[in-house]
Amino acid sequence: DTQMTQSPSSLSASVGDSVTISCRASQAIYTSLAWYQQKPGKAPKLLLHGASRLESGVPSRFSGSGSGTEFTLTIISLQPEDFATYYCHQYYNTPIHTFGQGTKLEIK
Amino acid sequence: QVLLVESGGGVVQPGMSLRLSCEGSGFSFSNFGMQWVRQAPGKGLEWVAVISSDGRHKYYRDSVKGRFTISRDNNKNTLYLQMDSLRPEDAAVYYCAKDHDNSGYYWFDSWGQGTLVIVSS
């Protein structure tokens, strides 16, 4: 199975800052990567797919990049509602899907 | 809009069974693959099982193979997860999720609110 490793596991930032979260795949997955946001007690929400394609309704301050084994999620001009946990998900080596372990973004 | 509503969670003893349901609305249920994903308390997301739109293709993570069965009734717009021989490590919030495609091989564009399964003696 393809292992997904996110870094960092947690980070602190302030409103208005920009942050980058990394996700590394144990084998090449081309651009078959999605990012989700999850707030406490809530279901995950799709942010991007195809590594860089923004889901409809998601603010443009979210962006994604990468291909192969290295991917990043960038959030610019952090808003209070952006503090959450973020997960990457590979869907190249399906039907088995795998998620990263999550990155918790906290307010500094 | 797409709505997925899970039900069937609860408290069960190890070795017992439970069946989860997920009713979909706001989309053509029979045209999309469906997934079950779980999240143990304080932990990350863990994919559990997938079923294709027509129900013919089903796949599971290794730790639940032979114990869990995913199924669907397209006439009732409902997805199921039959969980047998439950173990303490199966305790989690179980989410159903809609796949982008009929195969179940893509990203998950809508999620239910989850249903909690507790396995404890």
Side-chain angles (χ1 to χ4, degrees), chain A residues 3-12 19-25 33 35 69-75 85-89 99-105:
Chain A
Q3 307 303 314
M4 306 301 292
T5 304
Q6 288 182 232
S7 60
S9 296
S10 64
L11 74 159
S12 297
V19 297
T20 297
I21 297 169
S22 297
C23 179
R24 173 177 292 177
L33 185 97
W35 289 98
T69 61
E70 301 286 342
F71 301 87
T72 59
L73 171 70
T74 299
I75 314 170
T85 300
Y86 293 86
Y87 294 92
C88 60
H89 157 221
F99 291 93
Q101 81 277 17
T103 296
K104 187 174 183 179
L105 175 57

Side-chain angles (χ1 to χ4, degrees), chain A residues 1 34 36 38 41-46 48-50 53 55 87 89 91-92 94-102, chain B residues 35 37 39 43-47 50 59-62 65 95 99-100 104-114:
Chain A
D1 295 354
Y36 303 86
Q38 187 181 33
K42 301 296 185 181
K45 172 188 172 183
L46 175 67
L48 299 104
H49 58 88
R53 299 182 179 185
E55 177 71 351
Y87 294 92
H89 157 221
Y91 52 89
Y92 179 74
T94 47
I96 306 301
H97 295 261
T98 46
F99 291 93
Q101 81 277 17
Chain B
Q35 315 273 353
V37 177
Q39 186 170 37
K43 303 297 184 183
L45 302 174
E46 183 175 80
W47 173 79
V50 58
Y59 300 95
Y60 304 89
R61 68 178 302 105
D62 285 347
K65 279 181 187 175
Y95 295 100
D99 198 274
H100 171 71
Y105 291 6
Y106 290 85
W107 58 91
F108 310 160
D109 57 21
S110 297
W111 298 65
Q113 85 289 348

